Amino acid sequence: MKGNSNRRLAIEILIAILLFVIYLFLYLGISFDAKYAKTVYNLTNENWYIVDTTDLDPEEDLTTSSHVTDNMTTIGLDRGKTIILATKLPNELFVSPCMQFNVAALAVRVYYDGNEIYSYGTEDYEAGRFVGKQCCRISIPAEAVGKNVCIEYRSTRQGKNINHSSTFYGEASDVFKAYLQQRRFPLFAGTFLVIFGLMLIITLPLMSRKSELKIDMIFHGLLLFDSGIYFLSYNNLMQYYVTNNWWLTTMEYLSLFMIPFLVQGTVLFNRYVRQKGMSKFMFFFDLSLPVVTMILHCLGISHMYNFLTIAHVFIILQGAYSLFVMVRQLRYFNRHHGSEDVLQNGERAANAIMIGVNCLTCSSVFDVVFWYVLEKLGYRVVHVVNGVFSIMGSLILVACIVLSYFYHVIANENEKEIRGALEGIAFNDILTQISNRAHCEQVMEELTREQRTCIVISLDLDHLKQVNDNLGHQIGDKMISGFAELLRQVFVMPLLLGRMGGDEFIVILDGDDVARCERLLYQLTDYMNSANAQLTMYSYSASWGYAGSYEVADGHIQKTYMLADERMYRMKEEHHAMDEKLRMEEIKTVAMQEIIKRTEEGEE
């Protein structure tokens, strides 16, 4: 059994790896278009020089200035300090020449021939507001082609690094395409995660009844949506959807701070995860980070960036805790896998989710550690990392969610089958295989709540006691089951067909068609007469009474049944009276036959 379990687990892991490899090949297949490479220059590989002034002669020879060499790609600045860099643009004509590069926490001004042609962040910095990320897109004057251009950087944070990676220059449309091509992985993955997450969030409430709404799956959708927003914001791609700088920075940091909380939600609300430990505490502990920081941020007390280190600590703690829960969950599953547990597929679904969640958290922890290492080494993190490990972890989580969904479907089908079997045992009469008294009363309560208009028929099987006393209970049981079969043949698709106990039966018909009800009862009489023609030990006879729900106050079905029951007993009394009359006539006949016999014997 364990060998089969291990093989199944290996197959599941291979499926997840295969999905990821397919995605990776698709990504690698979208190579950088050669057309863009010919029309777009990457000024990272050009010569940048440190100059003293922005009022630079466009024709000045820059080789006399300090050169920013390839092994000095990053320059650290104290808060408020500025540095001016200059480069000579390629001598190639474009219809709409454009320069584009990314900055973070830097106020930027671009000059040509002493005139400012672009500015970002200066007003915010001077007003004391936070200066976030920006993809600077500068339209270059036609006369500046082949001339010197200056960029003035002012640091808005202590020890801020300046990096010239991915500074594109060329035709505006091609620069835009090249920028997106360079970030095709986070663009494709982030957009996919946002759409997939929204689909989960929107469709699950519509597909599930309120009582069966899977909260953990809602958290899956929120986690994927939040991760997609973060990857797009982190890589300066959300600015094509949102132009307000405050919202851009808020979305980036809030989506990052929400990740530990949403990860914990997938663990806490998964009903198949048995080893939850401190999940509730961790859930509210992780929730405190985005709530508190957002309040302080909106009130202008402190920017969310100031809590970045705390957020990284939260991510590391959440990663460690999720790993601990997953290990305990897998150990529990392996210990109990040999048993025939009806929730076995639910456990597999939980395991798949835990593996996916841990891939995301572990890759996020790796990105955090890598981030700090690169900061110490002096590299601009966004260019070097781009959160690529977290993106991979998110895509693996998507594969695990899909795998988990199939296990959930199987588990739900198993539960429905078992629930149906248990309900059959609890609500079916064993002898007749129609509804028992408990189910009949439940159905009548439901019909009362729904205010259904219906006709209730109360039936009583005559002479059952005499059959039991004279022929035995085995024949009596056969008589009961045979009568139930006659009822099934006559009353097709009623609202209810059941045995209330002993010789009492109930039928509920939809609507208020009394004529139909009487036709069916006459048909039942014909069916009983036909059956009696083939019986020798006993014969079928029944008493009945019917009433409509419109005959009682508030349409109460149980009161309607009581009224029908009263009418049934009137018919039963008539049958008893008739039986008594027949019995007396039979006694008289027997007595007369006896007198005649004796008279004949006397004459002889």
Side-chain angles (χ1 to χ4, degrees):
M1 203 73 171
K2 275 198 170 181
N4 293 335
S5 172
N6 292 333
R7 282 195 295 273
R8 188 182 292 108
L9 181 61
I11 292 172
E12 293 164 3
I13 294 174
L14 286 175
I15 291 174
I17 293 174
L18 180 63
L19 290 173
F20 175 72
V21 170
I22 291 173
Y23 180 88
L24 193 60
F25 273 108
L26 288 174
Y27 162 69
L28 294 175
I30 311 172
S31 58
F32 190 90
D33 196 320
K35 180 180 71 173
Y36 303 149
K38 292 178 181 178
T39 58
V40 175
Y41 292 89
N42 192 336
L43 299 184
T44 304
N45 301 320
E46 301 296 327
N47 294 323
W48 285 92
Y49 297 89
I50 302 175
V51 296
D52 299 326
T53 178
T54 58
D55 189 13
L56 189 66
D57 187 343
E59 304 289 347
E60 183 177 329
D61 184 8
L62 296 176
T63 57
T64 59
S65 304
S66 300
H67 182 220
V68 180
T69 59
D70 290 337
N71 60 358
M72 186 182 168
T73 57
T74 307
I75 303 168
L77 289 179
D78 293 333
R79 177 180 171 83
K81 299 296 183 181
T82 61
I83 188 171
I84 303 171
L85 305 180
T87 190
K88 185 176 182 180
L89 297 177
N91 192 15
E92 183 174 343
L93 293 176
F94 296 102
V95 176
S96 301
C98 173
M99 179 187 292
Q100 183 168 310
F101 54 89
N102 289 330
V103 293
L106 292 170
V108 177
R109 286 178 173 173
V110 181
Y111 295 88
Y112 166 70
D113 196 15
N115 298 316
E116 182 181 296
I117 59 176
Y118 178 83
S119 177
Y120 165 73
T122 302
E123 293 182 2
D124 288 335
Y125 175 72
E126 292 175 351
R129 293 189 293 268
F130 179 81
V131 179
K133 288 182 179 179
Q134 179 68 12
C135 177
C136 301
R137 187 174 174 85
I138 305 105
S139 296
I140 302 297
E143 60 272 16
V145 174
K147 307 294 178 60
N148 296 327
V149 173
C150 301
I151 303 178
E152 178 190 82
Y153 294 99
R154 176 183 289 182
S155 174
T156 62
R157 298 183 204 152
Q158 187 66 25
K160 180 59 190 171
N161 296 326
I162 302 171
N163 188 283
H164 303 291
S165 59
S166 304
T167 304
F168 293 123
Y169 172 74
E171 185 63 40
S173 60
D174 291 340
V175 167
F176 173 71
K177 294 173 184 177
Y179 179 80
L180 294 183
Q181 282 281 356
Q182 189 190 56
R183 287 158 176 78
R184 60 190 181 276
F185 190 27
L187 174 63
F188 182 49
T191 304
F192 170 74
L193 291 172
V194 168
I195 295 174
F196 191 78
L198 277 176
M199 287 174 59
L200 285 179
I201 296 169
I202 294 172
T203 58
L204 277 173
L206 299 177
M207 293 168 57
S208 303
R209 291 185 299 181
K210 187 175 180 180
S211 58
E212 296 179 352
L213 185 61
K214 304 297 188 297
I215 299 178
D216 60 326
M217 292 187 180
I218 297 294
F219 271 92
H220 299 163
L222 289 172
L223 178 58
L224 295 178
F225 176 79
D226 183 77
S227 300
I229 292 293
Y230 175 68
F231 297 143
L232 293 174
S233 302
Y234 185 60
N235 290 277
N236 280 352
L237 295 167
M238 279 301 295
Q239 64 178 351
Y240 298 111
Y241 305 99
V242 181
T243 57
N244 185 282
N245 185 59
W246 186 90
W247 277 109
L248 284 171
T249 55
T250 301
M251 288 171 62
E252 177 182 353
Y253 290 111
L254 181 61
S255 58
L256 174 63
F257 294 176
M258 287 288 290
I259 289 177
F261 163 68
L262 295 175
V263 166
Q264 188 56 44
T266 63
V267 176
L268 177 63
F269 292 103
N270 192 321
R271 62 186 176 128
Y272 294 110
V273 176
R274 301 174 183 270
Q275 308 297 326
K276 294 183 180 180
M278 298 174 60
S279 292
K280 288 184 180 179
F281 170 77
M282 290 292 295
F283 180 77
F284 291 104
F285 178 71
D286 291 337
L287 179 61
S288 65
L289 176 65
V291 171
V292 172
T293 55
M294 190 64 185
I295 291 173
L296 295 176
H297 179 72
C298 292
L299 295 177
I301 299 174
S302 179
H303 193 275
M304 299 183 82
Y305 171 82
N306 298 324
F307 299 92
L308 187 59
T309 302
I310 298 176
H312 289 160
V313 172
F314 271 63
I315 291 173
I316 293 173
L317 290 175
Q318 183 59 55
Y321 181 73
S322 298
L323 190 62
F324 167 74
V325 173
M326 184 189 73
V327 170
R328 294 190 65 181
Q329 174 73 9
L330 292 176
R331 287 179 61 189
Y332 177 88
F333 181 72
N334 288 331
R335 284 199 305 268
H336 296 81
H337 183 67
S339 61
E340 294 296 329
D341 188 357
V342 296
L343 300 180
Q344 191 168 240
N345 290 301
E347 298 281 357
R348 291 199 185 100
N351 292 343
I353 289 296
M354 290 305 301
I355 291 172
V357 165
N358 276 277
C359 286
L360 174 60
T361 54
C362 290
S363 59
S364 299
V365 169
F366 191 82
D367 270 343
V368 168
V369 174
F370 205 11
W371 192 89
Y372 280 105
V373 171
L374 293 174
E375 279 283 288
K376 294 296 182 183
L377 295 177
Y379 290 99
R380 184 167 180 263
V381 183
V382 174
H383 173 64
V384 179
V385 181
N386 278 332
V388 66
F389 298 108
S390 298
I391 295 176
M392 291 181 187
S394 297
L395 296 176
I396 293 174
L397 174 59
V398 170
C400 290
I401 287 176
V402 173
L403 189 63
S404 171
Y405 171 76
F406 287 113
Y407 280 136
H408 267 299
V409 171
I410 297 172
N412 288 338
E413 289 301 319
N414 290 343
E415 287 183 7
K416 287 179 182 178
E417 290 179 6
I418 294 169
R419 191 183 301 116
L422 292 175
E423 287 179 355
I425 295 171
F427 293 145
N428 277 4
D429 181 66
I430 298 175
L431 178 60
T432 61
Q433 294 303 308
I434 59 177
S435 297
N436 61 12
R437 186 183 187 92
H439 191 224
C440 291
E441 291 180 349
Q442 181 182 2
V443 171
M444 285 191 283
E445 289 178 2
E446 291 176 358
L447 293 175
T448 301
R449 283 197 299 270
E450 295 173 5
Q451 292 293 302
R452 291 286 288 271
T453 300
C454 54
I455 295 177
V456 180
I457 307 172
S458 175
L459 302 106
D460 187 276
L461 181 59
D462 295 335
H463 311 306
L464 178 62
K465 185 177 185 304
Q466 291 87 334
V467 172
N468 283 333
D469 292 342
N470 299 321
L471 301 176
H473 286 276
Q474 187 174 0
I475 301 299
D477 290 345
K478 187 177 179 181
M479 184 179 182
I480 292 172
S481 59
F483 184 68
E485 182 60 30
L486 293 175
L487 292 177
R488 265 195 293 262
Q489 293 174 14
V490 173
F491 299 99
V492 181
M493 297 182 65
L495 293 178
L496 176 66
L497 172 59
R499 181 186 177 200
M500 296 297 285
D503 55 1
E504 298 178 2
F505 294 82
I506 183 174
V507 179
I508 300 181
L509 303 177
D510 194 12
D512 57 358
D513 192 347
V514 175
R516 173 173 173 261
C517 174
E518 291 181 346
R519 283 197 307 270
L520 292 173
L521 290 172
Y522 288 141
Q523 186 178 350
L524 176 62
T525 303
D526 292 338
Y527 273 56
M528 287 191 294
N529 292 333
S530 298
N532 291 338
Q534 302 175 11
L535 296 172
T536 57
M537 299 182 70
Y538 59 85
S539 62
Y540 290 116
S541 173
S543 304
W544 59 73
Y546 61 84
S549 59
Y550 46 84
E551 297 184 64
V552 300
D554 302 326
H556 201 284
I557 305 302
Q558 287 179 325
K559 292 180 180 178
T560 306
Y561 171 67
M562 292 172 65
L563 179 59
D565 208 40
E566 289 178 9
R567 294 172 179 173
M568 180 272 293
Y569 274 108
R570 292 176 195 166
M571 185 176 182
K572 193 173 185 69
E573 288 175 359
E574 292 175 2
H575 283 186
H576 283 169
M578 187 180 299
D579 290 341
E580 184 65 22
K581 183 178 180 181
L582 291 173
R583 191 174 69 84
M584 293 302 295
E585 289 179 355
E586 184 178 352
I587 292 173
K588 289 180 181 179
T589 302
V590 171
M592 288 296 296
Q593 290 175 350
E594 185 67 24
I595 293 170
I596 294 170
K597 182 179 179 182
R598 288 178 181 178
T599 302
E600 290 176 351
E601 288 177 353
E603 290 179 353
E604 291 179 358

